[in-house]
Amino acid sequence: MLYPLFADLNDRHVLVVGGGDIAARKTTMLLKAGARVTVGAPMLVPELREWVRQGRIAYKAGTYQTDWLEGVWLVIAATRSRPLNARIAADGQARQRLVNVVDDPALSSFQVPALIDRSPLLVAISSGGAAPMLARRLRERIEGLLDPAFGSLVQLAQRYRARIRARYADLTARRRFYDWLHDGPVHAQLRADRPAHAEHQLMTALAEGAAPTTIGSVALVGAGPGDPGLLTLRALRALNEADVILHDALISEPILDLARRDAVRIAVGKRGGSTHTPQASIHALMLEHAQAGCRVVRLKGGDPFVFGRGGEELEFLREHGIAYEIVPGITAALACAAYSGVPLTHREHAQSVRLVTAHCQQSFNTLDWSELARERQTLAVYMGVGQLDELTRQFIAHGRAASTPFALIENGTLPQQRTLTGKLGELPTLATRHAIQAPALLILGEVAAQANVSHWFGELLGDPLLQPAFAPALADAA
Ligand code: SAH
């Protein structure tokens, strides 16, 4: 096993042998750590040359000499020649210098870990040289979990450390205070990129002295359309930190599996016409858990602010003085378009996109049909599967051609995705024939025909001879 260590290289001499891009990258890290770097090589890449000119690093021109090792604490060998790297390693060994040979654990007496930098907080990962690539993959995952504000939080805690210690001499009280710092409004303000507010909160809490009680918060989080890969890093982080998750019934199991194991999960909302939690009880649940000091995630399909009643929930939280944040998600229109190969806009055929909902008679009466039936725009119709007859009738009655292409995407981005394509005039018949169910999204407009050629995910139920008007090359080939 390797012995892990974080070395204080501030003002200490370090030698980098090699003048290429890798040497430059290693030098950058060493300079960040405050080391006095000497680079030795016959030639330098422009970046290193510039640093020499600015006096930020020293330069030994020429081929490696054993006496370069005099007076240095660490050596990094980044030359392209293995025999030379081996010689540097052997020289270092004889002089008790720690030597890292880049990408060569067998020659190295220390290794540089993959790093997640939230300075002053550092997370270092090593596979002991066995599989640096895999360590790098793990690094990407942890990178996603650690919110970028973490570094600022640690910095703030560092600056106030003595004052916090003086205020809370008792260890238990101090631990509670740090919990509050992590879970409460200070961290939240930093995440919202308001460092001055964060510091103010911290100072107020210190002035008041009493251990602040943890105040809960609610994050309105967009879970995207179903594929867990379409969650944002921020959504993932919120799921990892949640105490309570109030999720729409439509949220897929693989997404919920990403949440903290011991988080309480409550399904709310409705699926199709089955059980249905009224909006008022969703509000009540958010309030109850937030007031109990929990971090609540209100997890909603797609984006919280697109046909998701996110606006009402936000208004409620504001009225009740509950701290909140809002994490956008990939809305069904964007996701279904991408996963069926339909560009929503096109230079000549669609200069605008409309997101429309059509789930009941009431919304039908308030829609401006002649606007919707206009050419050269793409419609993305949410919640429309139950109303395809009426939708089609209205579009055609208001002037949209019956030959307008459509793509109807059922269970978009999920393994069972189906994409039905055809012409507007035959939409209800085709949808019935293939028994298309909610959730499904209708894309109507010239661009929809593109699904016939660019479709790449799930099953295509369509007429492959129906070519997009704007792909003449493909039409000719067919
Ligand atoms: N806030 C959500 C929309 C909620 S309304 C968003 O931004 O996507 C619910 C409607 O969204 C469904 O009736 C359907 O039209 C659409 N929808 C949601 N997920 C979908 C999916 N995976 N595939 C197709 N349509 C979907």
Side-chain angles (χ1 to χ4, degrees):
M1 193 193 103
L2 296 174
Y3 184 76
L5 71 90
F6 287 93
D8 178 1
L9 292 180
N10 192 35
D11 228 15
R12 300 206 157 103
H13 287 279
V14 174
L15 172 70
V16 175
V17 187
D21 289 329
I22 296 177
R25 218 164 57 225
K26 300 288 167 185
T27 301
T28 308
M29 281 300 280
L30 289 165
L31 288 175
K32 258 175 116 175
R36 291 170 173 259
V37 182
T38 300
V39 174
M43 277 188 329
L44 300 180
V45 290
E47 197 173 14
L48 286 169
R49 269 209 306 275
E50 179 60 18
W51 293 341
V52 173
R53 201 188 58 76
Q54 295 169 350
R56 293 180 66 196
I57 59 175
Y59 178 38
K60 286 190 193 299
T63 46
Y64 166 77
Q65 307 291 323
T66 307
D67 66 9
W68 287 4
L69 296 183
E70 291 311 317
V72 303
W73 290 68
L74 282 183
V75 182
I76 293 188
T79 83
R80 238 177 272 138
S81 151
R82 189 157 204 267
L84 178 55
N85 285 341
R87 200 182 122 208
I88 300 166
D91 286 352
Q93 175 83 7
R95 287 164 185 73
Q96 287 97 40
R97 301 289 187 272
L98 284 172
V99 179
N100 173 259
V101 178
V102 175
D103 282 338
D104 199 334
L107 289 180
S108 298
S109 54
F110 80 95
Q111 292 176 12
V112 183
L115 195 67
I116 295 119
D117 184 359
R118 300 288 185 274
S119 292
L121 180 89
L122 295 175
V123 181
I125 304 167
S126 163
S127 67
M133 288 295 178
L134 294 181
R136 246 165 260 162
R137 289 301 294 270
L138 182 62
R139 190 195 75 85
E140 286 166 18
R141 280 171 54 191
I142 299 179
E143 186 74 60
L145 293 181
L146 269 185
D147 89 63
F150 216 94
S152 319
L153 185 69
V154 176
Q155 269 171 31
L156 195 62
Q158 186 178 36
R159 273 199 284 127
Y160 281 85
R161 189 169 168 196
R163 271 171 277 183
I164 295 171
R165 180 178 275 273
R167 195 49 140 163
Y168 302 102
D170 172 56
L171 193 64
T172 314
R174 197 152 70 234
R175 190 170 299 139
R176 278 235 305 281
F177 185 82
Y178 277 105
D179 282 346
W180 171 82
L181 206 57
H182 181 271
D183 299 339
V186 175
H187 196 175
Q189 295 288 9
L190 288 172
R191 270 201 292 247
D193 207 12
R194 294 170 164 169
H197 288 71
E199 187 157 0
H200 180 74
Q201 295 262 15
L202 175 57
M203 288 190 318
T204 313
L206 278 175
E208 285 166 5
T213 44
T214 303
I215 308 162
S217 60
V218 175
L220 295 180
V221 177
D227 178 351
L230 296 176
L231 277 176
T232 64
L233 292 178
R234 202 155 187 152
L236 189 60
R237 238 175 263 131
L239 286 174
N240 267 287
E241 291 172 359
D243 301 307
V244 176
I245 299 171
L246 304 176
H247 63 88
D248 285 356
L250 218 54
I251 304 289
S252 70
E253 203 54 40
I255 288 180
L256 292 172
D257 284 345
L258 294 171
R260 223 180 79 195
R261 290 270 160 245
D262 50 352
V264 177
R265 301 173 182 185
I266 306 173
V268 297
K270 55 178 171 172
R271 166 156 216 162
S274 62
T275 49
H276 179 154
T277 317
Q279 194 62 31
S281 24
I282 298 177
H283 290 175
L285 280 168
M286 292 197 299
L287 187 63
E288 175 195 333
H289 290 287
Q291 281 179 340
C294 293
R295 277 162 303 181
V296 179
V297 164
R298 171 73 180 103
L299 191 64
K300 303 164 78 69
D303 180 89
F305 282 178
V306 177
F307 306 133
R309 304 187 78 167
E312 289 164 52
E313 290 172 11
L314 172 66
E315 188 59 21
F316 177 84
L317 293 171
R318 235 174 35 75
E319 272 169 17
H320 289 80
I322 307 271
Y324 59 81
E325 74 181 292
I326 301 152
V327 182
I330 297 189
T331 189
L334 302 186
C336 290
Y339 276 55
S340 61
V342 173
L344 288 172
T345 64
H346 183 277
R347 244 177 339 148
E348 279 133 43
H349 299 279
Q351 283 88 4
S352 71
V353 187
R354 283 176 186 248
L355 309 188
V356 189
T357 177
H359 75 294
C360 59
Q361 200 55 49
Q362 200 182 343
S363 60
F364 269 57
N365 296 339
T366 51
L367 285 172
D368 183 344
W369 291 98
S370 43
E371 277 292 316
L372 292 178
R374 283 231 180 115
E375 311 253 299
R376 301 161 79 81
Q377 67 173 332
T378 306
L379 298 184
V381 184
Y382 290 67
M383 295 182 271
V385 259
Q387 317 281 337
L388 291 175
D389 269 330
E390 180 68 8
L391 273 171
T392 304
R393 207 175 10 252
Q394 295 280 7
F395 286 139
I396 294 175
H398 286 85
R400 195 86 204 222
S403 60
T404 310
F406 76 84
L408 183 60
I409 300 111
E410 176 193 57
N411 287 314
T413 80
L414 293 166
Q416 64 273 30
Q417 173 178 319
R418 297 194 298 166
T419 301
L420 174 68
T421 59
K423 296 177 183 158
L424 177 59
E426 57 199 19
L427 168 58
T429 320
L430 286 177
T432 310
R433 182 180 309 156
H434 293 284
I436 302 290
Q437 306 283 325
L441 183 104
L442 173 67
I443 300 178
L444 184 69
E446 297 304 328
V447 291
Q450 185 74 24
N452 290 314
V453 285
S454 316
H455 181 270
W456 60 276
F457 188 85
E459 194 184 349
L460 177 68
L461 314 165
D463 177 358
L465 292 178
L466 187 72
Q467 295 291 327
F470 48 90
L474 284 162
D476 288 346

